Amino acid sequence: MKKPLGLAALVLLALVLAAPPAAADALSLELGLHGGLVNSKDGEGGSFLGGAQARVNLFWIVAAEARASYYTDSYDLGQLGSVDVENIPFQVSGMIYPIKLPKVGVYLLGGGTYSNLKVKGTSVVQGEVTEKGWSTHVGAGIDVKVGEKTTLNGDVRAVFLDANSVDELFDSVKSSYKGDFWTVTLGLNYKLF
């Protein structure tokens, strides 16, 4: 059992290291747009998320990405009604491609998310609070070249927000809102150079 697994890993490594056309991706800049679904652990979920992204391919299998998004959500407080959640997360990610072939690349990413979170109660409990701060995120995705300078990408990300805005806003409510969320997005990037 160990022999076939080791052989498969060796073949995969050889494919990654022996793909010279992919080495042409050294130091390039891509700009693009993304959209998809966001689902928070505590909220109603299933909301639309959209935004813009910039990716710098540093060298063959290493890249960095900056991404800004926007989404809204709701959090149910039971008999007290619900609160509206609005978030503008800015993400900075380091990316590594364990598989990078001329037309397809699979990547893993991780980094920091700066969230500008606004929580607003409009029912029985009223008020508004804004929370800004850093959290971490991880994810994985795939790039597919659809043209000479155009790349389609899709990924899944989990953000560990750990917000406490609801608790601060509604001291009388023993809520467990953390705001952690995950996203599934599709993006389209255009290579500038």
Side-chain angles (χ1 to χ4, degrees):
M1 182 71 176
K2 289 182 180 181
K3 235 179 194 180
L5 187 59
L7 183 60
L10 188 60
V11 168
L12 181 61
L13 181 62
L15 278 173
V16 169
L17 295 175
D25 284 345
L27 196 56
S28 64
L29 173 66
E30 300 174 7
L31 298 178
L33 299 172
H34 65 270
L37 294 177
V38 61
N39 193 356
S40 71
K41 178 182 169 192
D42 305 308
E44 292 179 4
S47 301
F48 175 77
L49 168 121
Q53 58 201 22
R55 186 178 296 179
V56 177
N57 294 296
L58 300 171
F59 57 93
W60 185 29
I61 61 170
V62 177
E65 183 182 74
R67 174 185 267 202
S69 305
Y70 174 83
Y71 73 89
T72 60
D73 198 5
S74 290
Y75 178 58
D76 185 18
L77 295 172
Q79 295 176 337
L80 298 175
S82 63
V83 293
D84 296 326
V85 178
E86 183 178 287
N87 192 7
I88 304 172
F90 297 94
Q91 295 183 334
V92 179
S93 307
M95 305 171 72
I96 188 159
Y97 288 81
I99 300 173
K100 190 157 188 183
L101 303 172
K103 297 280 186 185
V104 177
V106 175
Y107 58 86
L108 303 173
L109 61 86
T113 300
Y114 183 81
S115 291
N116 186 359
L117 186 70
K118 186 192 307 184
V119 180
K120 185 176 185 179
T122 56
S123 299
V124 175
V125 178
Q126 294 187 358
E128 181 177 306
V129 68
T130 300
E131 181 176 341
K132 298 178 182 183
W134 284 95
S135 59
T136 59
H137 68 267
V138 294
I142 187 167
D143 286 341
V144 178
K145 290 193 185 280
V146 293
E148 186 178 324
K149 293 189 173 224
T150 310
T151 305
L152 182 67
N153 59 65
D155 65 34
V156 176
R157 298 175 189 222
V159 180
F160 308 102
L161 189 56
D162 197 22
N164 55 13
S165 301
V166 173
D167 296 334
E168 289 176 10
L169 182 59
F170 312 116
D171 290 330
S172 62
V173 178
K174 298 297 183 199
S175 66
S176 59
Y177 181 81
K178 295 294 182 197
D180 297 352
F181 63 93
W182 59 264
T183 64
V184 176
T185 59
L186 285 176
L188 188 65
N189 286 354
Y190 181 78
K191 185 176 180 179
L192 296 179
F193 64 86

